[in-house]
Amino acid sequence: MKKTHTLKTAGADLVYDVHGPLPTTDGRPPLFMIGQPMDATGFAALAARFPDRTAVTYDPRGLGRSVRRDGRTDHTPETQADDVHALIRELGAGPVEMFASSGGAVTALAVVARYPGDVTVLVAHEPPLITLTSDGPAAVRARAAVRDAYEKRGWGAGMAAFVAMTSWEGEFTEAYFAQPEADPAAFGMPTEDDGSRDDPLLSDRSWAISSYRPDADAITGAPTRVVIAVGEESRAVQTGRTSAATAELLGQPVTVFPSHHGGFLDGEFGYPGKPDEFARRLREVLDGAA
């Protein structure tokens, strides 16, 4: 049974969902699931595969149902980490276990660094920390090209450029930059420009997330067991390489999960993963069996 709540903070009204009883009845802490820019809707399939656990999902400030009142439009790991910390305190059931995906994995690493007592085990799945890779400057250039396509030609062009960037295998070489501009029609995306320029994925509003450099000493010194996860299909693309670089920074091997960047998704977003296999693997890792 899902119950929806709102936590009002000084800068935002944070909407979160509790799937299951609190206090928990299984003797384990809640399982927090966070993303960025994905909101709680992206974790419906994964939460449903943990019917024996109390799961918590939320919408980051300014996304989904969570309204921000801080006068800002940018997204930073530090602010997001403060919000997650506030939610854990509000639950009164910490420390929690946590699965975090994409930009949410960056937020989660900031949580462990800033609030080391909040999380017992963190599975950080494909954090897009592009400056940690050996071709960091080229990755930053590729990111800027996505923003430029979005600014010049709208959402379809920006998303086509993003897909081209995130599906490129290996380092960003001159061959990558010599390609013609990605055609949104080739990806089934709209070619018309609706005039909006506020997408958190395609604008520069989330650059602080992908540019973040985790505090390795704080993270490795925390009591949290941190696992950096990568999808088996992602190994050669950007988020696979950022995952390997993050794991190396923390002095650990990367842990392989089924499927791709959205491997825990059903087909509701058009790019299904392998949610059953993914959930089984997540259970193993949370339990320390793998």
Side-chain angles (χ1 to χ4, degrees), residues 5-9 14 16 18 22 32 82-94 118:
H5 309 268
T6 300
L7 172 62
K8 293 183 178 293
T9 72
L14 302 173
Y16 65 99
V18 180
L22 273 180
F32 228 96
D82 290 346
D83 286 346
V84 172
H85 172 66
L87 286 170
I88 292 171
R89 290 190 63 184
E90 177 71 9
L91 290 172
D118 276 6

Side-chain angles (χ1 to χ4, degrees), residues 139-243:
V140 168
R141 178 183 170 193
R143 180 183 66 181
V146 170
R147 187 273 316 273
D148 292 347
Y150 176 55
E151 289 289 340
K152 291 175 183 176
R153 297 188 289 131
W155 185 87
M159 184 56 72
F162 179 79
V163 171
M165 178 185 73
T166 55
S167 60
W168 178 263
E169 295 190 354
E171 295 190 349
F172 293 106
T173 62
E174 287 305 317
Y176 171 81
F177 295 105
Q179 297 178 110
E181 290 184 331
D183 178 9
F187 296 98
M189 296 170 184
T191 56
E192 67 276 6
D193 183 354
D194 67 4
S196 64
R197 294 296 185 271
D198 57 357
D199 190 287
L201 186 67
L202 304 177
S203 66
D204 58 8
R205 296 183 177 194
S206 299
W207 281 12
I209 293 172
S210 52
S211 294
Y212 182 68
R213 296 189 70 88
D215 186 336
D217 290 340
I219 294 169
T220 57
T224 309
R225 177 167 63 90
V226 176
V227 176
I228 306 299
V230 64
E232 60 186 352
E233 299 173 27
S234 301
R235 301 296 291 272
V237 299
Q238 186 180 43
T239 54
R241 296 189 301 112
T242 60
S243 301

